Amino acid sequence: MAIDFFRIANAGVQQLKPYQAGKPIEEVQREYGLKQVVKLASNENPLGTSPKALNALKNACTAENLARYPDSNGFRLKAQLAAKLKLSPQQITLGNGSNDVLELIARAFANEQHSTLFSQYAFAVYPIITQAIGARAIVVPAKDWGHDLSAMLAAIETDTQVIFIANPNNPTGTWLTQHALHNFLHQVPATILVVLDEAYVEYVSEPDYPNSLPWLADFPNLIITRTFSKAYGLAGLRVGYALSHPDIADLLNRVRQPFNVNSLALLAAENALDDGAHLQKAIELNQQGRAYLSQAIESMGFSVIPSVGNFICVDFQQDAQTLYQKLLQHGVIVRPVANYGLPQHLRISMGLPDENVFFINKLARCL
Ligand SMILES: *Cc1c(COP(=O)(O)O)cnc(C)c1O
């Protein structure tokens, strides 16, 4: 008799919908018989990996090196991050991407008896990890596409263990000010963890965007997560980290897999961190790309949610899935966000200047 594995799986997992990733370039080339395909779907760095990191990787790919387990504690990367951020290495938890760290937090602090809290339109990983551990998600309606902090405060319940806040938020690109977030932290009960997901922090230049690092000293329940996947151009290698109170880091360290960050990822992150010039180039390119794309799309009559990230979210006032499919046929991969409850929006990552122009030309033809 066939076994119904869905029935014996954990209740939360049965209900889970898999994360929808951006389509890989190769897949679109294959399916549509296209040579030139531009991917503006996953908020990656269009400049690619830092040449410094790439060079280190090439030298490290020896039979002898790759046969060894990585440094389980990521000593060198933690030391480097600690020096740069003026924190102690004991405050750092490394992850296989920051997604890994987000999951460690959920697994270490929440279970079936608990709730996690986050905003409508917030990053898709928060509901996924919440459901996977069998916790209940409290989803707070957004305000102007962004986080409504006072509504989030009011929505806290006695079983709430973790609050997730993406600043800026993906997929909307909205962001919270220093003042608003600091106020919020003051009002959240000290036993509830506040996870500030700063995956795009390097791109933000707004003067009232928070420097959250000093808050770690005042709010032991604050966890900041960051990543090498976006501005540092290492999405394929998977490295992210959390900054927290050392006791929280100690707990996260207990739940993680012993070798959750591989040796090439560690090495690449160390070198990428050292390549300030490459990072600066990526930031400038992003600013130009965002201005160009926003302006071009707005002049076609569509509204762009103001974004401080390396992507924009656009209301195309039509079924976005159809437009997405048309763009695929023309060799452009963007990201539908219907799974976020935004069926008329598409999220578009900044590409290289010629990729952005390519996209705008194809978009004009698809509309
Ligand atoms: C891309 C992204 C991440 C980072 O994911 P990684 O696992 O580090 O690649 C985290 N949070 C948000 C909001 C993101 O958009």
PDB file of all heavy atoms in Angstrom, residues 115-123 126-127 130-131 136-142 148 151-152 155-157 160 164 340:
ATOM      1  N   SER A 115       4.325  32.206  18.917  1.00  0.00           N
ATOM      2  CA  SER A 115       4.074  32.924  17.670  1.00  0.00           C
ATOM      3  C   SER A 115       5.303  33.748  17.301  1.00  0.00           C
ATOM      4  O   SER A 115       6.101  34.120  18.157  1.00  0.00           O
ATOM      5  CB  SER A 115       2.856  33.843  17.818  1.00  0.00           C
ATOM      6  OG  SER A 115       3.072  34.828  18.804  1.00  0.00           O
ATOM      7  N   THR A 116       5.440  33.996  16.002  1.00  0.00           N
ATOM      8  CA  THR A 116       6.406  34.986  15.518  1.00  0.00           C
ATOM      9  C   THR A 116       5.576  36.095  14.876  1.00  0.00           C
ATOM     10  O   THR A 116       4.417  35.870  14.504  1.00  0.00           O
ATOM     11  CB  THR A 116       7.377  34.411  14.470  1.00  0.00           C
ATOM     12  OG1 THR A 116       6.642  34.152  13.268  1.00  0.00           O
ATOM     13  CG2 THR A 116       8.034  33.124  14.963  1.00  0.00           C
ATOM     14  N   LEU A 117       6.170  37.248  14.750  1.00  0.00           N
ATOM     15  CA  LEU A 117       5.406  38.395  14.263  1.00  0.00           C
ATOM     16  C   LEU A 117       6.195  39.111  13.166  1.00  0.00           C
ATOM     17  O   LEU A 117       7.404  39.323  13.300  1.00  0.00           O
ATOM     18  CB  LEU A 117       5.142  39.315  15.463  1.00  0.00           C
ATOM     19  CG  LEU A 117       4.170  40.478  15.308  1.00  0.00           C
ATOM     20  CD1 LEU A 117       3.517  40.771  16.662  1.00  0.00           C
ATOM     21  CD2 LEU A 117       4.847  41.727  14.805  1.00  0.00           C
ATOM     22  N   PHE A 118       5.505  39.446  12.102  1.00  0.00           N
ATOM     23  CA  PHE A 118       6.150  40.198  11.021  1.00  0.00           C
ATOM     24  C   PHE A 118       5.088  40.907  10.198  1.00  0.00           C
ATOM     25  O   PHE A 118       3.891  40.695  10.394  1.00  0.00           O
ATOM     26  CB  PHE A 118       7.020  39.287  10.140  1.00  0.00           C
ATOM     27  CG  PHE A 118       6.349  38.008   9.712  1.00  0.00           C
ATOM     28  CD1 PHE A 118       5.562  37.958   8.578  1.00  0.00           C
ATOM     29  CD2 PHE A 118       6.495  36.845  10.466  1.00  0.00           C
ATOM     30  CE1 PHE A 118       4.933  36.779   8.193  1.00  0.00           C
ATOM     31  CE2 PHE A 118       5.867  35.658  10.087  1.00  0.00           C
ATOM     32  CZ  PHE A 118       5.095  35.626   8.955  1.00  0.00           C
ATOM     33  N   SER A 119       5.538  41.740   9.278  1.00  0.00           N
ATOM     34  CA  SER A 119       4.611  42.575   8.517  1.00  0.00           C
ATOM     35  C   SER A 119       4.092  41.858   7.270  1.00  0.00           C
ATOM     36  O   SER A 119       4.769  41.000   6.708  1.00  0.00           O
ATOM     37  CB  SER A 119       5.334  43.860   8.098  1.00  0.00           C
ATOM     38  OG  SER A 119       4.523  44.621   7.226  1.00  0.00           O
ATOM     39  N   GLN A 120       2.919  42.254   6.853  1.00  0.00           N
ATOM     40  CA  GLN A 120       2.427  41.901   5.518  1.00  0.00           C
ATOM     41  C   GLN A 120       3.488  42.369   4.506  1.00  0.00           C
ATOM     42  O   GLN A 120       4.113  43.423   4.718  1.00  0.00           O
ATOM     43  CB  GLN A 120       1.116  42.652   5.294  1.00  0.00           C
ATOM     44  CG  GLN A 120       0.476  42.447   3.947  1.00  0.00           C
ATOM     45  CD  GLN A 120      -0.730  43.375   3.745  1.00  0.00           C
ATOM     46  OE1 GLN A 120      -0.836  44.422   4.393  1.00  0.00           O
ATOM     47  NE2 GLN A 120      -1.632  42.983   2.875  1.00  0.00           N
ATOM     48  N   TYR A 121       3.685  41.633   3.451  1.00  0.00           N
ATOM     49  CA  TYR A 121       4.683  41.909   2.400  1.00  0.00           C
ATOM     50  C   TYR A 121       6.129  41.762   2.878  1.00  0.00           C
ATOM     51  O   TYR A 121       7.054  42.150   2.159  1.00  0.00           O
ATOM     52  CB  TYR A 121       4.537  43.317   1.783  1.00  0.00           C
ATOM     53  CG  TYR A 121       3.154  43.702   1.352  1.00  0.00           C
ATOM     54  CD1 TYR A 121       2.651  44.964   1.641  1.00  0.00           C
ATOM     55  CD2 TYR A 121       2.342  42.814   0.646  1.00  0.00           C
ATOM     56  CE1 TYR A 121       1.372  45.336   1.249  1.00  0.00           C
ATOM     57  CE2 TYR A 121       1.068  43.174   0.255  1.00  0.00           C
ATOM     58  CZ  TYR A 121       0.590  44.437   0.561  1.00  0.00           C
ATOM     59  OH  TYR A 121      -0.671  44.800   0.176  1.00  0.00           O
ATOM     60  N   ALA A 122       6.330  41.238   4.096  1.00  0.00           N
ATOM     61  CA  ALA A 122       7.720  41.072   4.553  1.00  0.00           C
ATOM     62  C   ALA A 122       8.350  39.871   3.857  1.00  0.00           C
ATOM     63  O   ALA A 122       7.675  39.061   3.226  1.00  0.00           O
ATOM     64  CB  ALA A 122       7.768  40.912   6.058  1.00  0.00           C
ATOM     65  N   PHE A 123       9.648  39.759   3.979  1.00  0.00           N
ATOM     66  CA  PHE A 123      10.449  38.722   3.329  1.00  0.00           C
ATOM     67  C   PHE A 123       9.835  37.328   3.527  1.00  0.00           C
ATOM     68  O   PHE A 123       9.480  36.943   4.637  1.00  0.00           O
ATOM     69  CB  PHE A 123      11.857  38.774   3.912  1.00  0.00           C
ATOM     70  CG  PHE A 123      12.856  37.886   3.234  1.00  0.00           C
ATOM     71  CD1 PHE A 123      12.886  37.742   1.852  1.00  0.00           C
ATOM     72  CD2 PHE A 123      13.797  37.203   3.992  1.00  0.00           C
ATOM     73  CE1 PHE A 123      13.833  36.938   1.248  1.00  0.00           C
ATOM     74  CE2 PHE A 123      14.745  36.400   3.380  1.00  0.00           C
ATOM     75  CZ  PHE A 123      14.763  36.266   2.012  1.00  0.00           C
ATOM     76  N   TYR A 126      10.364  34.490   6.451  1.00  0.00           N
ATOM     77  CA  TYR A 126       9.826  34.527   7.827  1.00  0.00           C
ATOM     78  C   TYR A 126       8.627  33.593   7.991  1.00  0.00           C
ATOM     79  O   TYR A 126       8.597  32.807   8.937  1.00  0.00           O
ATOM     80  CB  TYR A 126       9.474  35.954   8.268  1.00  0.00           C
ATOM     81  CG  TYR A 126      10.522  37.007   7.991  1.00  0.00           C
ATOM     82  CD1 TYR A 126      10.170  38.333   7.745  1.00  0.00           C
ATOM     83  CD2 TYR A 126      11.874  36.671   7.958  1.00  0.00           C
ATOM     84  CE1 TYR A 126      11.134  39.298   7.483  1.00  0.00           C
ATOM     85  CE2 TYR A 126      12.840  37.637   7.685  1.00  0.00           C
ATOM     86  CZ  TYR A 126      12.461  38.941   7.443  1.00  0.00           C
ATOM     87  OH  TYR A 126      13.404  39.895   7.166  1.00  0.00           O
ATOM     88  N   PRO A 127       7.618  33.673   7.089  1.00  0.00           N
ATOM     89  CA  PRO A 127       6.521  32.709   7.243  1.00  0.00           C
ATOM     90  C   PRO A 127       6.961  31.260   7.031  1.00  0.00           C
ATOM     91  O   PRO A 127       6.438  30.362   7.686  1.00  0.00           O
ATOM     92  CB  PRO A 127       5.503  33.133   6.169  1.00  0.00           C
ATOM     93  CG  PRO A 127       6.193  34.104   5.285  1.00  0.00           C
ATOM     94  CD  PRO A 127       7.294  34.706   6.090  1.00  0.00           C
ATOM     95  N   THR A 130       8.681  29.986  10.183  1.00  0.00           N
ATOM     96  CA  THR A 130       7.702  29.938  11.270  1.00  0.00           C
ATOM     97  C   THR A 130       6.856  28.686  11.150  1.00  0.00           C
ATOM     98  O   THR A 130       6.661  27.931  12.112  1.00  0.00           O
ATOM     99  CB  THR A 130       6.789  31.189  11.213  1.00  0.00           C
ATOM    100  OG1 THR A 130       7.601  32.346  11.391  1.00  0.00           O
ATOM    101  CG2 THR A 130       5.722  31.143  12.294  1.00  0.00           C
ATOM    102  N   GLN A 131       6.389  28.438   9.943  1.00  0.00           N
ATOM    103  CA  GLN A 131       5.531  27.283   9.720  1.00  0.00           C
ATOM    104  C   GLN A 131       6.300  25.982   9.859  1.00  0.00           C
ATOM    105  O   GLN A 131       5.780  24.995  10.364  1.00  0.00           O
ATOM    106  CB  GLN A 131       4.923  27.381   8.324  1.00  0.00           C
ATOM    107  CG  GLN A 131       3.454  27.051   8.332  1.00  0.00           C
ATOM    108  CD  GLN A 131       2.851  27.319   6.987  1.00  0.00           C
ATOM    109  OE1 GLN A 131       3.046  28.398   6.432  1.00  0.00           O
ATOM    110  NE2 GLN A 131       2.142  26.357   6.449  1.00  0.00           N
ATOM    111  N   ARG A 136       3.042  29.822  15.190  1.00  0.00           N
ATOM    112  CA  ARG A 136       1.967  30.571  14.563  1.00  0.00           C
ATOM    113  C   ARG A 136       2.529  31.908  14.097  1.00  0.00           C
ATOM    114  O   ARG A 136       3.332  32.532  14.791  1.00  0.00           O
ATOM    115  CB  ARG A 136       0.888  30.809  15.633  1.00  0.00           C
ATOM    116  CG  ARG A 136      -0.380  31.487  15.179  1.00  0.00           C
ATOM    117  CD  ARG A 136      -1.433  31.368  16.303  1.00  0.00           C
ATOM    118  NE  ARG A 136      -0.943  31.957  17.551  1.00  0.00           N
ATOM    119  CZ  ARG A 136      -1.181  33.214  17.923  1.00  0.00           C
ATOM    120  NH1 ARG A 136      -1.898  34.013  17.160  1.00  0.00           N
ATOM    121  NH2 ARG A 136      -0.713  33.676  19.071  1.00  0.00           N
ATOM    122  N   ALA A 137       2.102  32.329  12.915  1.00  0.00           N
ATOM    123  CA  ALA A 137       2.580  33.612  12.394  1.00  0.00           C
ATOM    124  C   ALA A 137       1.543  34.692  12.648  1.00  0.00           C
ATOM    125  O   ALA A 137       0.364  34.512  12.337  1.00  0.00           O
ATOM    126  CB  ALA A 137       2.847  33.500  10.899  1.00  0.00           C
ATOM    127  N   ILE A 138       1.962  35.800  13.235  1.00  0.00           N
ATOM    128  CA  ILE A 138       1.088  36.970  13.333  1.00  0.00           C
ATOM    129  C   ILE A 138       1.541  37.929  12.242  1.00  0.00           C
ATOM    130  O   ILE A 138       2.677  38.412  12.252  1.00  0.00           O
ATOM    131  CB  ILE A 138       1.202  37.642  14.713  1.00  0.00           C
ATOM    132  CG1 ILE A 138       0.852  36.640  15.825  1.00  0.00           C
ATOM    133  CG2 ILE A 138       0.303  38.880  14.783  1.00  0.00           C
ATOM    134  CD1 ILE A 138       1.048  37.193  17.232  1.00  0.00           C
ATOM    135  N   VAL A 139       0.665  38.147  11.261  1.00  0.00           N
ATOM    136  CA  VAL A 139       1.033  39.008  10.136  1.00  0.00           C
ATOM    137  C   VAL A 139       0.304  40.339  10.284  1.00  0.00           C
ATOM    138  O   VAL A 139      -0.921  40.385  10.313  1.00  0.00           O
ATOM    139  CB  VAL A 139       0.667  38.340   8.791  1.00  0.00           C
ATOM    140  CG1 VAL A 139       1.157  39.193   7.628  1.00  0.00           C
ATOM    141  CG2 VAL A 139       1.265  36.938   8.717  1.00  0.00           C
ATOM    142  N   VAL A 140       1.060  41.400  10.391  1.00  0.00           N
ATOM    143  CA  VAL A 140       0.485  42.717  10.664  1.00  0.00           C
ATOM    144  C   VAL A 140       0.334  43.501   9.355  1.00  0.00           C
ATOM    145  O   VAL A 140       1.307  43.618   8.591  1.00  0.00           O
ATOM    146  CB  VAL A 140       1.392  43.495  11.645  1.00  0.00           C
ATOM    147  CG1 VAL A 140       0.799  44.867  11.950  1.00  0.00           C
ATOM    148  CG2 VAL A 140       1.598  42.686  12.912  1.00  0.00           C
ATOM    149  N   PRO A 141      -0.881  44.016   9.075  1.00  0.00           N
ATOM    150  CA  PRO A 141      -1.084  44.759   7.820  1.00  0.00           C
ATOM    151  C   PRO A 141      -0.047  45.868   7.619  1.00  0.00           C
ATOM    152  O   PRO A 141       0.317  46.564   8.564  1.00  0.00           O
ATOM    153  CB  PRO A 141      -2.492  45.351   7.993  1.00  0.00           C
ATOM    154  CG  PRO A 141      -3.177  44.411   8.937  1.00  0.00           C
ATOM    155  CD  PRO A 141      -2.107  43.909   9.864  1.00  0.00           C
ATOM    156  N   ALA A 142       0.407  45.996   6.391  1.00  0.00           N
ATOM    157  CA  ALA A 142       1.432  46.994   6.069  1.00  0.00           C
ATOM    158  C   ALA A 142       0.810  48.378   5.985  1.00  0.00           C
ATOM    159  O   ALA A 142      -0.408  48.533   5.850  1.00  0.00           O
ATOM    160  CB  ALA A 142       2.091  46.635   4.750  1.00  0.00           C
ATOM    161  N   ASP A 148       4.321  48.745   9.645  1.00  0.00           N
ATOM    162  CA  ASP A 148       3.572  49.646  10.521  1.00  0.00           C
ATOM    163  C   ASP A 148       3.983  49.304  11.954  1.00  0.00           C
ATOM    164  O   ASP A 148       3.405  48.423  12.594  1.00  0.00           O
ATOM    165  CB  ASP A 148       2.073  49.429  10.296  1.00  0.00           C
ATOM    166  CG  ASP A 148       1.220  50.383  11.122  1.00  0.00           C
ATOM    167  OD1 ASP A 148       1.757  51.006  12.066  1.00  0.00           O
ATOM    168  OD2 ASP A 148       0.019  50.495  10.816  1.00  0.00           O
ATOM    169  N   ALA A 151       1.368  49.336  14.824  1.00  0.00           N
ATOM    170  CA  ALA A 151       0.448  48.199  14.702  1.00  0.00           C
ATOM    171  C   ALA A 151       1.165  46.900  15.084  1.00  0.00           C
ATOM    172  O   ALA A 151       0.561  45.997  15.679  1.00  0.00           O
ATOM    173  CB  ALA A 151      -0.086  48.099  13.277  1.00  0.00           C
ATOM    174  N   MET A 152       2.432  46.812  14.784  1.00  0.00           N
ATOM    175  CA  MET A 152       3.192  45.608  15.142  1.00  0.00           C
ATOM    176  C   MET A 152       3.327  45.495  16.663  1.00  0.00           C
ATOM    177  O   MET A 152       3.182  44.410  17.226  1.00  0.00           O
ATOM    178  CB  MET A 152       4.566  45.606  14.464  1.00  0.00           C
ATOM    179  CG  MET A 152       4.458  45.345  12.948  1.00  0.00           C
ATOM    180  SD  MET A 152       6.030  45.419  12.070  1.00  0.00           S
ATOM    181  CE  MET A 152       6.764  43.845  12.528  1.00  0.00           C
ATOM    182  N   ALA A 155       0.196  44.282  18.112  1.00  0.00           N
ATOM    183  CA  ALA A 155      -0.161  42.913  17.738  1.00  0.00           C
ATOM    184  C   ALA A 155       0.610  41.853  18.528  1.00  0.00           C
ATOM    185  O   ALA A 155       0.332  40.661  18.405  1.00  0.00           O
ATOM    186  CB  ALA A 155       0.070  42.714  16.242  1.00  0.00           C
ATOM    187  N   ILE A 156       1.572  42.286  19.333  1.00  0.00           N
ATOM    188  CA  ILE A 156       2.358  41.343  20.138  1.00  0.00           C
ATOM    189  C   ILE A 156       1.425  40.592  21.088  1.00  0.00           C
ATOM    190  O   ILE A 156       0.549  41.192  21.703  1.00  0.00           O
ATOM    191  CB  ILE A 156       3.448  42.094  20.945  1.00  0.00           C
ATOM    192  CG1 ILE A 156       4.508  42.661  20.002  1.00  0.00           C
ATOM    193  CG2 ILE A 156       4.087  41.175  21.990  1.00  0.00           C
ATOM    194  CD1 ILE A 156       5.543  43.540  20.692  1.00  0.00           C
ATOM    195  N   GLU A 157       1.598  39.282  21.177  1.00  0.00           N
ATOM    196  CA  GLU A 157       0.786  38.500  22.107  1.00  0.00           C
ATOM    197  C   GLU A 157       1.686  37.856  23.157  1.00  0.00           C
ATOM    198  O   GLU A 157       2.903  37.915  23.049  1.00  0.00           O
ATOM    199  CB  GLU A 157      -0.020  37.457  21.323  1.00  0.00           C
ATOM    200  CG  GLU A 157      -1.019  38.147  20.396  1.00  0.00           C
ATOM    201  CD  GLU A 157      -2.049  37.206  19.809  1.00  0.00           C
ATOM    202  OE1 GLU A 157      -2.277  36.129  20.391  1.00  0.00           O
ATOM    203  OE2 GLU A 157      -2.617  37.568  18.765  1.00  0.00           O
ATOM    204  N   THR A 160       4.341  35.499  21.883  1.00  0.00           N
ATOM    205  CA  THR A 160       5.239  35.971  20.817  1.00  0.00           C
ATOM    206  C   THR A 160       6.699  35.883  21.272  1.00  0.00           C
ATOM    207  O   THR A 160       7.049  36.412  22.327  1.00  0.00           O
ATOM    208  CB  THR A 160       4.905  37.422  20.408  1.00  0.00           C
ATOM    209  OG1 THR A 160       3.535  37.483  19.989  1.00  0.00           O
ATOM    210  CG2 THR A 160       5.803  37.889  19.269  1.00  0.00           C
ATOM    211  N   PHE A 164      10.272  39.692  13.320  1.00  0.00           N
ATOM    212  CA  PHE A 164      11.170  39.854  12.171  1.00  0.00           C
ATOM    213  C   PHE A 164      10.894  41.181  11.481  1.00  0.00           C
ATOM    214  O   PHE A 164       9.747  41.475  11.118  1.00  0.00           O
ATOM    215  CB  PHE A 164      10.972  38.732  11.159  1.00  0.00           C
ATOM    216  CG  PHE A 164      11.415  37.379  11.638  1.00  0.00           C
ATOM    217  CD1 PHE A 164      10.480  36.426  12.041  1.00  0.00           C
ATOM    218  CD2 PHE A 164      12.763  37.046  11.675  1.00  0.00           C
ATOM    219  CE1 PHE A 164      10.882  35.168  12.467  1.00  0.00           C
ATOM    220  CE2 PHE A 164      13.172  35.791  12.103  1.00  0.00           C
ATOM    221  CZ  PHE A 164      12.232  34.847  12.506  1.00  0.00           C
ATOM    222  N   TYR A 340       3.404  37.112  -2.403  1.00  0.00           N
ATOM    223  CA  TYR A 340       3.415  38.081  -1.314  1.00  0.00           C
ATOM    224  C   TYR A 340       2.070  38.807  -1.212  1.00  0.00           C
ATOM    225  O   TYR A 340       1.918  39.738  -0.428  1.00  0.00           O
ATOM    226  CB  TYR A 340       4.496  39.144  -1.552  1.00  0.00           C
ATOM    227  CG  TYR A 340       5.909  38.678  -1.300  1.00  0.00           C
ATOM    228  CD1 TYR A 340       6.677  38.126  -2.320  1.00  0.00           C
ATOM    229  CD2 TYR A 340       6.495  38.820  -0.041  1.00  0.00           C
ATOM    230  CE1 TYR A 340       7.986  37.726  -2.086  1.00  0.00           C
ATOM    231  CE2 TYR A 340       7.794  38.423   0.199  1.00  0.00           C
ATOM    232  CZ  TYR A 340       8.537  37.873  -0.827  1.00  0.00           C
ATOM    233  OH  TYR A 340       9.823  37.477  -0.592  1.00  0.00           O
TER     234      TYR A 340
END
